[in-house]
Amino acid sequence: MSDSEFDVRELIALLSPKAIDLRHIPGGFSRITPQDIAARLSRCSRGASLLARAKYANDTASFSKLYFHFVALAAGPPDGPVWPKKLKPGTFTRLINLTVQENVSPGKCGWCNGSAKSLEIDGKVLVCSGCKGSGRVNYSDRLRARMMGIPESTFRRSLVPLHVKLMTIFSEWESEIMAAMMEQNPKVAHYRPTTNPDPEPPLAA
């Protein structure tokens, strides 16, 4: 992966108990620690912090907390900003589950197996048309409706506006995470893999 393709949110994986501490291997990256990342996430809202840990550090405990936090936020009081009064609870629950899956565990694209590329017969490598280069499942309204067990026409007619509102919540959390991880700190903002984790200090002038 080139520097331009690096997603700084991937560093959150260092919070996973199974993560390899790069400071302890030759050529590892030693300028950021799990403590640095935890400190940054502590400045985010509860939803953003839980999303970061559930999605990027694969923390199952955070996933459970995120789910119930999202349900409470989406439903809210009877006059809340998202919950539609005429929507059946079962339908809303399935839409909640779908939205969480889209944002936390989107899965690999079945066309390119997550590579984001497809190989033509003549050997020319092109961006996968199935996922449009994301490497992840390309959720269409047809797929969403099928996952919810309802007709696509019903999803489009009754649930698209609500789905957009729910997705916006996750989008705002992702923005929080990115902003926290990209703060002007050499440890993160100027992250670059290095083969010399402990360079010698510059000579005094």
Side-chain angles (χ1 to χ4, degrees):
M1 178 179 292
S2 67
D3 292 347
S4 61
E5 294 174 328
F6 177 75
D7 186 339
V8 72
R9 290 170 295 187
E10 294 177 11
L11 289 173
I12 299 171
L14 292 174
L15 294 179
S16 171
K18 298 181 180 180
I20 298 175
D21 192 337
L22 300 181
R23 295 171 298 172
H24 298 160
I25 62 175
F29 180 65
S30 61
R31 287 180 288 166
I32 187 170
T33 67
Q35 291 75 19
D36 295 324
I37 296 172
R40 288 176 178 276
L41 295 182
S42 69
R43 303 166 197 166
C44 295
S45 65
R46 176 173 173 76
S49 179
L50 290 173
L51 173 60
R53 295 170 184 275
K55 181 175 182 177
Y56 299 103
N58 197 29
D59 185 344
T60 55
S62 292
F63 178 85
S64 179
K65 294 177 182 178
L66 171 68
Y67 179 84
F68 289 108
H69 177 72
F70 181 58
V71 170
L73 181 63
D79 59 346
V82 176
W83 184 281
K85 297 179 180 180
K86 296 182 180 180
L87 191 65
K88 295 180 180 180
T91 302
F92 188 72
T93 298
R94 290 198 297 274
L95 185 58
I96 286 284
N97 294 342
L98 169 68
T99 307
V100 171
Q101 180 175 341
E102 276 194 71
N103 288 278
V104 181
S105 304
K108 291 182 180 180
C109 171
W111 293 96
C112 64
N113 195 32
S115 69
K117 299 177 181 179
S118 57
L119 188 64
E120 295 293 296
I121 297 178
D122 61 3
K124 184 179 180 180
V125 178
L126 301 175
V127 172
C128 175
S129 59
C131 64
K132 296 180 174 58
S134 69
R136 300 181 183 277
V137 174
N138 183 21
Y139 282 86
S140 63
D141 288 345
R142 176 179 298 181
L143 176 59
R144 294 180 180 112
R146 186 166 73 243
M147 292 176 68
M148 291 185 63
I150 60 176
E152 181 182 354
S153 58
T154 300
F155 182 86
R156 289 180 177 274
R157 182 178 63 254
S158 305
L159 298 178
V160 165
L162 176 58
H163 179 255
V164 170
K165 289 183 179 180
L166 294 173
M167 292 293 286
T168 299
I169 294 174
F170 275 96
S171 178
E172 291 175 350
W173 285 343
E174 286 283 10
S175 296
E176 279 191 61
I177 297 169
M178 180 63 80
M181 295 300 294
M182 287 297 292
E183 286 183 10
Q184 292 304 311
N185 185 313
K187 290 182 177 180
V188 173
H190 304 295
Y191 168 83
R192 290 292 183 275
T194 178
T195 57
N196 184 15
D198 297 303
E200 296 180 0
L203 296 176

